Amino acid sequence: AEGSITPICAVSHTDLTIASIVHYCAHFYPGVMVTMRSFALAAALLSAPAFGFQHTFAGVGRQSMSTTSLNMEGSSDRRGFLNQVVIAGVATGMVTLGDTKPANAFGGFDRVNGQLKSYGLPPLKSVPDGFSPLLELWGKGKNRSPLLVQFAHPSDWVVTLPSQDVNGEDGTIQAGQYSAGDTATLYVIENTKVDNISEQPKAFFKDSIIKAISQKGDNIYQDFKVTNLETKPGDIGGQQYGIVDFKYTLITGAGFEVDRVGVASVTSVGNAVEVLWCASTRQRYKKLENKLRDIAGSFRVYSDGLNFSEQLARTVDDAF
């Protein structure tokens, strides 16, 4: 999404401005690059008879956000429409997923273990059935300090990586089933070093996760609560990971509410605090809880003492 977008006109409960829809998508699909123009075009496609979808857009293609609205009845209907717009946009190339790869692009279990071995790190012993391992360097650009990030995710989830150009790196590492709103997203709080995660108060974890879920804009949630907290050891160097259960209500730009439930893993490696937050809707959480816990439990971050110069040099060459 192109920055934090706020609607510039008042709308009723059943009318969504395109601006507020883009804001909504930025929260549920932070890896999806949605622009005002691409969303309008994708929505216009869905409005065509060939798609069999009868919602109507008024003023598609106009420059004024205030005159472009979507008339829809009921929040579940709105959510279904938004999902279809994102899917249609991706399918037609009007909405992009940044640097997106299928799960098998990361080489699978043996390749990840080979990469871990090359860094002198502990190998994976296993991954849950139906999961794929991910090992990726966050911070390849000159504007970030590199971190080696590892976690496992369902094999049918789409993986999105940060984008690279000559100015540096933007975006984050994410895996998700975007059409359903199921996501696991990395958030890095830079220039914030914590020596011992296990000694941190509940407020530290609450503040860290709030920063993660609100990274695309302010005042988009309410009733955030940490419902459980425990710490677990990592694999090397006395690392600790806080496993945090949480829930909150998403407030969209159009004023309707979506209950979200999730589990996050929080640690501090290098000069940063790292959060992998995994969440879905309240309705889907019961079905997905074990998977989300497996993702959070598999989260590892490495940095200290590792040499990333070869990968960083290759990234610079690719940018040019």
Side-chain angles (χ1 to χ4, degrees):
E2 296 180 332
S4 178
I5 299 174
T6 304
I8 61 173
C9 66
V11 292
S12 69
H13 184 72
T14 56
D15 290 337
L16 294 175
T17 64
I18 286 185
S20 61
I21 297 173
V22 171
H23 182 77
Y24 174 95
C25 289
H27 182 87
F28 275 107
Y29 315 114
V32 179
M33 309 306 173
V34 182
T35 66
M36 301 291 289
R37 180 175 179 273
S38 63
F39 196 100
L41 290 171
L45 280 177
L46 280 178
S47 299
F51 279 84
F53 208 93
Q54 298 304 312
H55 290 305
T56 302
F57 261 81
V60 171
R62 299 178 188 173
Q63 295 300 313
S64 172
M65 289 185 293
S66 64
T67 60
T68 309
S69 61
L70 171 64
N71 298 315
M72 293 180 290
E73 298 298 330
S75 60
S76 62
D77 199 21
R78 283 192 292 265
R79 178 67 184 277
F81 181 79
L82 294 173
N83 290 334
Q84 293 191 48
V85 168
V86 172
I87 295 167
V90 171
T92 58
M94 295 175 182
V95 176
T96 63
L97 289 170
D99 188 358
T100 308
K101 301 179 184 294
N104 59 12
F106 296 92
F109 190 85
D110 291 339
R111 183 174 178 181
V112 165
N113 270 344
Q115 292 173 327
L116 289 170
K117 183 179 179 180
S118 72
Y119 286 113
L121 296 171
L124 288 170
K125 296 179 181 179
S126 63
V127 295
D129 290 342
F131 274 53
S132 294
L134 180 150
L135 186 68
E136 181 62 32
L137 190 62
W138 180 96
K140 296 176 184 177
K142 60 185 178 182
N143 57 324
R144 291 175 170 176
S145 298
L147 300 166
L148 190 64
V149 176
Q150 169 191 322
F151 62 90
H153 59 85
S155 298
D156 59 351
W157 282 21
V158 174
V159 173
T160 306
L161 301 180
S163 59
Q164 310 289 335
D165 60 29
V166 294
N167 297 316
E169 179 175 285
D170 187 44
T172 192
I173 301 170
Q174 181 186 50
Q177 186 178 357
Y178 296 105
S179 62
D182 310 330
T183 56
T185 306
L186 174 70
Y187 182 69
V188 179
I189 307 171
E190 298 183 84
N191 303 315
T192 306
K193 176 63 179 176
V194 174
D195 291 328
N196 194 328
I197 285 290
S198 63
E199 294 179 354
Q200 300 307 305
K202 184 177 180 180
F204 163 80
F205 296 98
K206 178 180 179 180
D207 292 345
S208 297
I209 299 172
I210 285 176
K211 288 179 180 178
I213 67 172
S214 60
Q215 60 181 303
K216 291 293 182 179
D218 296 327
N219 301 319
I220 60 171
Y221 67 90
Q222 69 180 15
D223 300 330
F224 183 94
K225 294 180 181 179
V226 170
T227 58
N228 191 58
L229 169 63
E230 58 182 302
T231 56
K232 295 184 177 181
D235 298 323
I236 63 168
Q239 283 187 355
Q240 295 284 324
Y241 292 80
I243 306 299
V244 188
D245 291 21
F246 63 92
K247 62 181 181 179
Y248 65 100
T249 301
L250 171 67
I251 308 299
T252 71
F256 64 94
E257 302 178 357
V258 180
D259 292 332
R260 300 275 286 170
V261 185
V263 56
S265 180
V266 183
T267 192
S268 182
V269 174
N271 190 32
V273 170
E274 297 85 17
V275 180
L276 185 72
W277 62 285
C278 314
S280 187
T281 61
R282 177 178 54 80
Q283 293 83 352
R284 287 181 56 79
Y285 183 76
K286 185 175 182 180
K287 176 183 177 181
L288 289 175
E289 180 178 359
N290 290 338
K291 287 185 177 181
L292 297 181
R293 291 193 182 281
D294 285 339
I295 298 169
S298 69
F299 180 53
R300 297 291 185 271
V301 183
Y302 305 107
S303 175
D304 299 334
L306 299 183
N307 184 356
F308 301 121
S309 58
E310 182 178 345
Q311 277 189 280
L312 295 175
R314 187 164 58 247
T315 300
V316 172
D317 291 340
D318 291 344
F320 285 96

